[in-house]
Amino acid sequence: MDLLNAIRCFIKVVEAGSIAAGARNLGLTPAAVSQNLARLEGHLQVRLISRTTRSMVLTPAGALYYDRVRHIERDLALAEQAVTTPDSEPQGRLCIASTSAFGRHVLAPLIPAFSARYPLLSIELITTDRRVNHAREDVDVSLRITPQLEDHLLARHIARIPFICCASPGYLANAGLPTTPQALREHRCLVFRYPVDGRFLRWGFMRDGLRFEAEFGTVLISDDIDALTQMALNDGGITRLAEFIVRPHLASGALVPLFEYSDHGQAYAQTEPMDIYLCLADRFAMTAKVRVFMDYLRDALGDNWQVQA
């Protein structure tokens, strides 16, 4: 029996959630994968997976075995790379997952230059606000905001992004200019809802070192930041947008920033920024290709958004 191949089949089946999906990822038939699983269980003399025609569940022994062997294939690949190409240029597939807005407006413009610097890398960018599974989707690295962090991931702070409350001149002419964040309860607010759990993205503010959240009045809701931007541009209400999204609209006068200064020249309140984290499945995921991407991203963002080392 090819023990390593059988273990590889077991790992892929667990990560994919089914024999059929695991077989697709491996480029094998479900029958071949099932045979490898049976051989592995026979070798170990223990049932690893309880399977029926409709479901697949790890046994306690299977869960323990998976936890011990799940890094074997990656460790072997890293060991081979270390001894065969220790000084070589990063190569292979690099899959990056990101929140939709950050991926679309920040990462996408940066990736062509990164690709030109490392031409042996094949880069895939996934932009989504759903919960991404690194193992099942073969993701090397993900960019997440604080509410999207998960305990099992390794997270490194990569950027702090300013946010700006704003509205169109047309909306403000009709509804009036709110002078403080507390006045938002009297206005129509354009609010982002997380696709994963349905929560609103709260609007945090800082004043005199204390944090507080704005209360919404009437709301228009979307799970897409660009849709909220279009609503604001068309006199839909007040919204809170990342600086990298709102910058050109402020420059053109299509949107107007709010709560910047009082009559005495002091800020009414500072809009709370948002932290972005670079996330890895575990310490073994810090491969050469991930490291050069992280370094590139730090250099590209450092002058703009107070990146912390």
Side-chain angles (χ1 to χ4, degrees), residues 222-287:
S222 178
D223 64 353
D224 185 279
I225 292 295
D226 288 333
L228 293 174
T229 305
Q230 290 302 314
M231 292 181 193
L233 290 168
N234 287 276
D235 305 337
I238 297 171
T239 194
R240 177 178 175 269
L241 299 173
E243 190 269 346
F244 61 77
I245 295 175
V246 77
R247 185 192 309 126
H249 305 303
L250 296 180
S252 69
L255 293 176
V256 177
L258 304 176
F259 316 130
E260 288 196 315
Y261 300 101
S262 68
D263 294 337
H264 304 290
Q266 299 296 319
Y268 287 113
Q270 294 180 328
T271 305
E272 185 179 39
M274 180 170 289
D275 290 311
I276 298 285
Y277 294 86
L278 185 147
C279 297
L280 306 173
D282 50 49
R283 63 187 178 88
F284 298 101
M286 184 56 79
T287 58

Coordinates of all heavy atoms in Angstrom, one line a residue, residues 222-287:
S222 N -27.5 47.2 2.7 CA -26.9 46.4 1.7 C -25.7 45.6 2.2 O -25.1 46.0 3.2 CB -26.4 47.2 0.5 OG -25.9 46.4 -0.5
D223 N -25.4 44.4 1.5 CA -24.3 43.7 1.9 C -23.1 43.9 0.9 O -22.2 43.2 0.8 CB -24.6 42.2 1.9 CG -25.0 41.6 0.5 OD1 -25.1 42.4 -0.4 OD2 -25.1 40.4 0.4
D224 N -23.2 45.1 0.2 CA -22.2 45.5 -0.8 C -21.8 46.9 -0.6 O -22.7 47.8 -0.7 CB -22.7 45.2 -2.2 CG -21.6 45.5 -3.2 OD1 -21.4 46.7 -3.6 OD2 -21.0 44.5 -3.7
I225 N -20.6 47.2 -0.3 CA -20.1 48.6 0.0 C -20.3 49.4 -1.2 O -20.7 50.6 -1.1 CB -18.7 48.6 0.5 CG1 -18.5 47.9 1.9 CG2 -18.1 50.0 0.5 CD1 -19.3 48.7 3.0
D226 N -20.0 48.9 -2.4 CA -20.1 49.7 -3.6 C -21.6 50.1 -3.9 O -21.8 51.2 -4.4 CB -19.5 49.0 -4.8 CG -18.0 48.9 -4.7 OD1 -17.4 49.8 -4.1 OD2 -17.4 48.0 -5.3
A227 N -22.5 49.2 -3.5 CA -23.9 49.6 -3.7 C -24.3 50.7 -2.7 O -25.0 51.6 -3.1 CB -24.8 48.3 -3.4
L228 N -23.8 50.7 -1.5 CA -24.0 51.8 -0.6 C -23.4 53.1 -1.1 O -24.0 54.2 -0.9 CB -23.5 51.4 0.8 CG -24.1 50.3 1.6 CD1 -23.4 50.0 2.8 CD2 -25.6 50.6 1.9
T229 N -22.3 53.0 -1.7 CA -21.7 54.2 -2.2 C -22.5 54.8 -3.3 O -22.7 56.0 -3.4 CB -20.3 53.8 -2.8 OG1 -19.5 53.2 -1.8 CG2 -19.6 55.1 -3.3
Q230 N -23.1 54.0 -4.2 CA -23.9 54.5 -5.3 C -25.2 55.1 -4.7 O -25.7 56.1 -5.2 CB -24.3 53.3 -6.2 CG -23.1 52.9 -7.1 CD -22.5 54.0 -7.9 OE1 -23.3 54.8 -8.5 NE2 -21.2 54.2 -7.9
M231 N -25.8 54.5 -3.6 CA -26.9 55.1 -3.0 C -26.6 56.5 -2.4 O -27.4 57.4 -2.6 CB -27.4 54.2 -1.8 CG -28.0 52.8 -2.2 SD -28.5 51.9 -0.7 CE -28.7 50.3 -1.5
A232 N -25.4 56.6 -1.8 CA -25.1 57.9 -1.3 C -24.9 58.9 -2.4 O -25.3 60.1 -2.2 CB -23.8 57.8 -0.4
L233 N -24.2 58.5 -3.5 CA -24.0 59.4 -4.6 C -25.3 59.9 -5.2 O -25.4 61.0 -5.8 CB -23.2 58.8 -5.6 CG -21.7 58.5 -5.3 CD1 -21.0 57.6 -6.3 CD2 -20.9 59.9 -5.2
N234 N -26.4 59.1 -5.0 CA -27.7 59.5 -5.6 C -28.7 59.9 -4.5 O -29.9 59.7 -4.6 CB -28.2 58.3 -6.4 CG -27.5 58.0 -7.7 OD1 -27.8 58.6 -8.7 ND2 -26.5 57.1 -7.6
D235 N -28.1 60.7 -3.6 CA -28.9 61.4 -2.5 C -29.7 60.4 -1.7 O -30.8 60.7 -1.1 CB -29.9 62.3 -3.2 CG -29.2 63.4 -4.1 OD1 -28.0 63.6 -3.9 OD2 -29.9 63.9 -5.0
G236 N -29.2 59.2 -1.4 CA -29.9 58.2 -0.6 C -29.8 58.4 0.9 O -30.7 57.9 1.6
G237 N -28.8 59.0 1.3 CA -28.6 59.2 2.8 C -27.2 59.4 3.2 O -26.3 59.6 2.3
I238 N -26.9 59.2 4.5 CA -25.6 59.3 5.0 C -25.0 57.9 5.2 O -25.7 57.0 5.6 CB -25.6 60.0 6.4 CG1 -26.2 61.4 6.3 CG2 -24.3 60.0 7.1 CD1 -26.4 62.1 7.6
T239 N -23.7 57.8 4.8 CA -23.1 56.5 4.9 C -21.7 56.7 5.5 O -21.2 57.8 5.6 CB -23.0 55.7 3.6 OG1 -22.7 54.4 3.8 CG2 -22.0 56.4 2.6
R240 N -21.1 55.6 5.8 CA -19.7 55.5 6.4 C -18.8 54.7 5.5 O -19.1 53.5 5.4 CB -19.8 55.0 7.9 CG -18.4 54.9 8.6 CD -18.7 54.4 10.0 NE -17.5 54.1 10.7 CZ -16.9 52.9 10.8 NH1 -17.4 51.9 10.1 NH2 -15.8 52.7 11.5
L241 N -17.8 55.3 4.9 CA -17.1 54.5 3.9 C -15.6 54.6 4.2 O -15.1 55.6 4.8 CB -17.3 55.2 2.5 CG -18.7 55.1 2.0 CD1 -18.8 55.9 0.7 CD2 -19.2 53.7 1.8
A242 N -14.9 53.6 3.8 CA -13.4 53.6 3.9 C -12.8 54.7 3.1 O -13.3 55.1 2.0 CB -12.8 52.3 3.4
E243 N -11.7 55.3 3.5 CA -11.1 56.4 2.8 C -10.7 56.1 1.4 O -10.8 56.9 0.5 CB -9.9 56.9 3.6 CG -9.3 58.2 3.2 CD -8.2 57.9 2.1 OE1 -7.7 56.8 2.0 OE2 -7.8 58.9 1.5
F244 N -10.3 54.8 1.2 CA -9.9 54.5 -0.2 C -11.1 54.4 -1.1 O -10.9 54.5 -2.3 CB -9.1 53.1 -0.2 CG -9.9 51.9 0.3 CD1 -10.8 51.3 -0.5 CD2 -9.6 51.4 1.6 CE1 -11.5 50.2 0.0 CE2 -10.3 50.3 2.0 CZ -11.2 49.7 1.2
I245 N -12.3 54.3 -0.6 CA -13.5 54.3 -1.5 C -14.0 55.7 -1.7 O -14.3 56.1 -2.9 CB -14.6 53.4 -0.9 CG1 -14.2 52.0 -0.8 CG2 -15.9 53.6 -1.7 CD1 -15.2 51.1 -0.1
V246 N -14.0 56.5 -0.7 CA -14.7 57.8 -0.7 C -13.7 58.9 -1.3 O -14.2 59.9 -1.7 CB -15.2 58.2 0.7 CG1 -14.1 58.7 1.6 CG2 -16.3 59.2 0.6
R247 N -12.4 58.7 -1.3 CA -11.5 59.7 -1.7 C -11.8 60.4 -3.0 O -11.9 61.7 -3.0 CB -10.1 59.1 -1.8 CG -9.0 60.2 -2.0 CD -7.7 59.5 -2.4 NE -7.3 58.5 -1.4 CZ -7.0 57.2 -1.7 NH1 -7.1 56.8 -2.9 NH2 -6.7 56.4 -0.7
P248 N -12.1 59.7 -4.1 CA -12.3 60.5 -5.4 C -13.7 61.2 -5.3 O -13.8 62.3 -6.0 CB -12.3 59.4 -6.4 CG -12.6 58.1 -5.7 CD -12.0 58.3 -4.3
H249 N -14.6 60.7 -4.6 CA -15.9 61.4 -4.5 C -15.9 62.7 -3.7 O -16.6 63.6 -3.9 CB -17.0 60.4 -4.0 CG -17.1 59.1 -4.8 ND1 -17.3 59.1 -6.1 CD2 -16.9 57.8 -4.4 CE1 -17.3 57.9 -6.5 NE2 -17.1 57.1 -5.5
L250 N -15.0 62.7 -2.7 CA -14.8 63.9 -1.9 C -14.1 64.9 -2.7 O -14.4 66.1 -2.7 CB -14.0 63.6 -0.6 CG -14.6 62.7 0.4 CD1 -13.7 62.5 1.6 CD2 -16.0 63.2 0.9
A251 N -13.1 64.5 -3.5 CA -12.3 65.4 -4.3 C -13.2 66.0 -5.4 O -13.0 67.2 -5.7 CB -11.1 64.6 -5.0
S252 N -14.1 65.3 -5.9 CA -15.0 65.9 -7.0 C -16.2 66.7 -6.4 O -16.9 67.4 -7.2 CB -15.6 64.7 -7.8 OG -16.5 63.9 -7.1
G253 N -16.4 66.6 -5.1 CA -17.5 67.3 -4.5 C -18.8 66.5 -4.5 O -19.8 67.0 -4.1
A254 N -18.8 65.3 -5.1 CA -20.0 64.5 -5.2 C -20.5 64.0 -3.8 O -21.7 63.8 -3.6 CB -19.8 63.2 -6.1
L255 N -19.5 63.9 -2.8 CA -19.9 63.6 -1.4 C -19.2 64.6 -0.5 O -18.1 65.1 -0.9 CB -19.4 62.1 -1.1 CG -20.1 61.0 -1.8 CD1 -19.5 59.6 -1.4 CD2 -21.6 61.0 -1.5
V256 N -19.8 64.8 0.6 CA -19.3 65.8 1.6 C -19.0 65.1 2.9 O -19.8 64.4 3.4 CB -20.4 66.9 1.8 CG1 -19.9 67.9 2.8 CG2 -20.7 67.6 0.5
P257 N -17.8 65.3 3.5 CA -17.5 64.7 4.8 C -18.3 65.4 5.9 O -18.5 66.6 5.8 CB -16.0 65.0 4.9 CG -15.7 66.2 4.1 CD -16.7 66.1 2.9
L258 N -18.6 64.6 6.9 CA -19.4 65.1 8.0 C -18.5 65.0 9.3 O -17.6 64.3 9.4 CB -20.6 64.3 8.2 CG -21.6 64.2 7.0 CD1 -22.8 63.3 7.3 CD2 -22.0 65.6 6.6
F259 N -18.9 65.9 10.3 CA -18.4 65.8 11.7 C -16.9 66.2 11.7 O -16.2 65.7 12.6 CB -18.6 64.5 12.3 CG -20.0 63.9 12.1 CD1 -20.2 62.6 11.7 CD2 -21.1 64.7 12.3 CE1 -21.4 62.1 11.5 CE2 -22.4 64.2 12.1 CZ -22.5 62.9 11.7
E260 N -16.4 67.0 10.8 CA -15.0 67.2 10.8 C -14.6 68.3 11.8 O -13.7 68.1 12.6 CB -14.5 67.7 9.4 CG -14.5 66.5 8.4 CD -13.7 66.9 7.2 OE1 -13.9 68.0 6.7 OE2 -12.9 66.1 6.7
Y261 N -15.4 69.4 11.8 CA -15.0 70.5 12.7 C -16.2 71.2 13.3 O -17.3 71.3 12.7 CB -14.1 71.6 12.0 CG -12.8 71.0 11.5 CD1 -12.7 70.7 10.1 CD2 -11.8 70.8 12.3 CE1 -11.6 70.2 9.6 CE2 -10.6 70.2 11.8 CZ -10.5 69.9 10.4 OH -9.3 69.4 9.9
S262 N -16.1 71.6 14.5 CA -17.1 72.4 15.2 C -16.9 73.9 14.9 O -16.0 74.3 14.2 CB -17.1 72.2 16.7 OG -16.0 72.7 17.2
D263 N -17.7 74.7 15.5 CA -17.6 76.2 15.3 C -16.2 76.7 15.9 O -15.8 77.7 15.5 CB -18.7 76.9 15.9 CG -20.0 76.6 15.2 OD1 -20.0 76.2 14.0 OD2 -21.1 76.8 15.8
H264 N -15.7 75.9 16.8 CA -14.4 76.3 17.5 C -13.2 75.6 16.8 O -12.1 75.7 17.4 CB -14.5 75.9 18.9 CG -15.7 76.5 19.6 ND1 -15.8 77.8 19.9 CD2 -16.8 75.9 20.1 CE1 -17.0 78.1 20.5 NE2 -17.6 76.9 20.6
G265 N -13.4 75.0 15.7 CA -12.2 74.4 15.0 C -11.8 73.1 15.5 O -10.8 72.5 15.1
Q266 N -12.5 72.5 16.5 CA -12.2 71.2 17.0 C -13.1 70.1 16.4 O -14.3 70.4 16.0 CB -12.4 71.2 18.5 CG -11.5 72.1 19.3 CD -10.0 71.8 19.1 OE1 -9.7 70.7 19.1 NE2 -9.2 72.8 18.9
A267 N -12.6 68.9 16.2 CA -13.5 67.8 15.7 C -14.6 67.5 16.6 O -14.4 67.4 17.8 CB -12.6 66.6 15.4
Y268 N -15.8 67.3 16.0 CA -16.9 66.9 16.8 C -16.6 65.5 17.4 O -16.9 65.3 18.6 CB -18.2 66.8 16.0 CG -18.8 68.1 15.6 CD1 -18.8 68.5 14.2 CD2 -19.4 68.9 16.5 CE1 -19.3 69.7 13.8 CE2 -20.0 70.1 16.1 CZ -19.9 70.5 14.8 OH -20.5 71.7 14.4
A269 N -16.1 64.6 16.6 CA -15.7 63.3 17.0 C -14.9 62.7 15.9 O -15.1 63.0 14.7 CB -17.0 62.4 17.3
Q270 N -14.0 61.8 16.2 CA -13.2 61.1 15.2 C -13.9 59.8 14.9 O -14.3 59.0 15.7 CB -11.8 60.9 15.8 CG -11.0 62.1 16.0 CD -9.6 61.8 16.6 OE1 -9.4 60.8 17.3 NE2 -8.7 62.6 16.2
T271 N -14.0 59.6 13.6 CA -14.6 58.3 13.1 C -13.6 57.2 13.4 O -12.4 57.3 13.0 CB -14.9 58.4 11.6 OG1 -15.8 59.5 11.4 CG2 -15.6 57.1 11.1
E272 N -14.1 56.1 14.0 CA -13.2 55.0 14.3 C -12.6 54.4 13.1 O -13.4 54.0 12.1 CB -14.0 54.0 15.1 CG -13.2 52.8 15.7 CD -14.0 51.9 16.5 OE1 -15.2 51.6 16.1 OE2 -13.5 51.4 17.5
P273 N -11.3 54.1 13.0 CA -10.7 53.5 11.8 C -11.0 52.0 11.9 O -11.6 51.5 12.9 CB -9.2 53.8 12.0 CG -9.0 53.9 13.5 CD -10.3 54.5 14.0
M274 N -10.6 51.3 10.8 CA -10.8 49.8 10.8 C -9.5 49.1 10.6 O -8.7 49.6 9.7 CB -11.8 49.4 9.7 CG -12.1 47.9 9.6 SD -13.4 47.6 8.4 CE -14.8 48.1 9.4
D275 N -9.2 48.1 11.3 CA -8.0 47.3 11.2 C -8.1 46.2 10.2 O -9.2 45.5 10.2 CB -7.6 46.8 12.6 CG -7.1 47.9 13.5 OD1 -6.3 48.7 13.1 OD2 -7.6 47.9 14.7
I276 N -7.1 46.0 9.4 CA -7.0 44.9 8.5 C -5.9 44.0 8.9 O -4.8 44.4 9.3 CB -6.7 45.4 7.0 CG1 -7.8 46.4 6.5 CG2 -6.5 44.2 6.1 CD1 -9.1 45.7 6.1
Y277 N -6.2 42.7 8.9 CA -5.3 41.6 9.3 C -5.0 40.7 8.2 O -5.9 40.3 7.4 CB -5.8 40.9 10.5 CG -6.0 41.7 11.7 CD1 -7.2 42.4 11.9 CD2 -5.0 41.7 12.7 CE1 -7.3 43.2 13.1 CE2 -5.1 42.5 13.8 CZ -6.3 43.2 14.0 OH -6.4 44.0 15.2
L278 N -3.7 40.3 8.1 CA -3.3 39.2 7.2 C -3.4 37.9 7.9 O -2.7 37.8 9.0 CB -1.9 39.5 6.6 CG -1.4 38.6 5.6 CD1 -0.5 39.3 4.6 CD2 -0.6 37.4 6.2
C279 N -4.2 37.0 7.5 CA -4.5 35.7 8.2 C -3.9 34.5 7.5 O -4.1 34.4 6.3 CB -6.0 35.6 8.4 SG -6.7 36.9 9.4
L280 N -3.4 33.6 8.3 CA -2.9 32.3 7.8 C -3.5 31.2 8.6 O -4.0 31.3 9.7 CB -1.3 32.3 8.1 CG -0.5 33.4 7.5 CD1 0.9 33.3 8.0 CD2 -0.6 33.4 6.0
A281 N -3.6 30.0 7.9 CA -4.2 28.9 8.6 C -3.4 28.4 9.8 O -4.0 28.0 10.8 CB -4.3 27.7 7.6
D282 N -2.1 28.5 9.7 CA -1.2 28.1 10.8 C 0.2 28.6 10.5 O 0.4 29.2 9.5 CB -1.2 26.6 11.1 CG -1.0 25.8 9.8 OD1 -0.1 26.1 9.1 OD2 -1.8 24.9 9.5
R283 N 1.2 28.3 11.4 CA 2.5 28.8 11.2 C 3.2 28.1 10.0 O 4.1 28.7 9.4 CB 3.4 28.5 12.5 CG 3.5 27.0 12.8 CD 4.2 26.9 14.1 NE 4.3 25.5 14.5 CZ 5.4 24.7 14.2 NH1 6.3 25.2 13.4 NH2 5.4 23.4 14.6
F284 N 2.7 27.0 9.6 CA 3.3 26.3 8.4 C 2.9 27.0 7.1 O 3.5 26.8 6.1 CB 2.9 24.8 8.4 CG 3.3 24.0 9.5 CD1 2.4 23.7 10.6 CD2 4.6 23.6 9.6 CE1 2.8 23.0 11.7 CE2 5.0 22.8 10.7 CZ 4.1 22.6 11.8
A285 N 1.9 27.9 7.2 CA 1.4 28.5 6.0 C 2.3 29.7 5.6 O 2.1 30.3 4.5 CB 0.0 29.0 6.1
M286 N 3.3 30.1 6.4 CA 4.1 31.2 6.1 C 5.2 30.7 5.2 O 6.4 30.6 5.5 CB 4.7 31.8 7.4 CG 5.6 33.0 7.1 SD 4.8 34.4 6.2 CE 3.8 35.1 7.6
T287 N 4.8 30.4 4.0 CA 5.8 30.0 2.9 C 6.5 31.2 2.3 O 6.2 32.3 2.6 CB 5.0 29.2 1.8 OG1 4.0 30.1 1.3 CG2 4.3 28.0 2.4

